[in-house]
């Protein structure tokens, strides 16, 4: 997706479709929840013009900054 806003909108459109499978519905609901939480946590960045669609790793690290996968080492 081009931006987090378009990704959120696309997920909402998918959820409006009554013919999607229960598994897909659960997946999209979880993804939408994570995207909305990420957007809320980065509201200032978005207002400043950073509208990128976060990767799954960015979302994971936003929720779990202490995780080994999210550590940043400086030399």
């Amino acid at each position: 997706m081009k931006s987090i806003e378009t990704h959120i909108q696309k997920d909402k459109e998918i959820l409006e479709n009554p013919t999607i499978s229960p598994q897909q519905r659960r997946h999209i609901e979880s993804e939408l929840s994570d995207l909305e939480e990420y957007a809320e946590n980065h509201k200032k960045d978005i207002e400043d013009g950073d509208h990128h669609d976060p990767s799954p790793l960015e979302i994971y690290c936003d929720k779990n900054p202490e995780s080994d996968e999210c550590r940043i080492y400086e030399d």
Side-chain angles (χ1 to χ4, degrees):
M1 305 281 163
K2 290 188 176 190
S3 71
I4 189 168
E5 293 90 346
T6 58
H7 196 160
I8 289 172
Q9 185 60 36
K10 182 68 174 170
D11 282 357
K12 286 179 179 180
E13 289 171 9
I14 292 170
L15 289 174
E16 290 175 1
N17 181 350
T19 63
I20 64 172
S21 70
Q23 296 87 356
Q24 186 178 12
R25 180 171 296 281
R26 282 192 301 275
H27 171 75
I28 297 296
E29 286 172 344
S30 174
E31 180 179 85
L32 180 59
S33 173
D34 289 344
L35 284 169
E36 289 175 335
E37 182 179 338
Y38 183 91
E40 185 64 32
N41 291 342
H42 295 271
K43 187 178 260 184
K44 174 94 170 92
D45 296 334
I46 292 170
E47 289 171 357
D48 290 343
D50 182 10
H51 298 275
H52 80 281
D53 186 17
S55 69
L57 181 61
E58 286 178 279
I59 292 172
Y60 175 79
C61 289
D62 191 56
K63 295 174 89 170
N64 305 289
E66 71 288 341
S67 177
D68 288 341
E69 295 88 344
C70 304
R71 292 187 180 176
I72 298 173
Y73 298 96
E74 296 181 22
D75 293 337

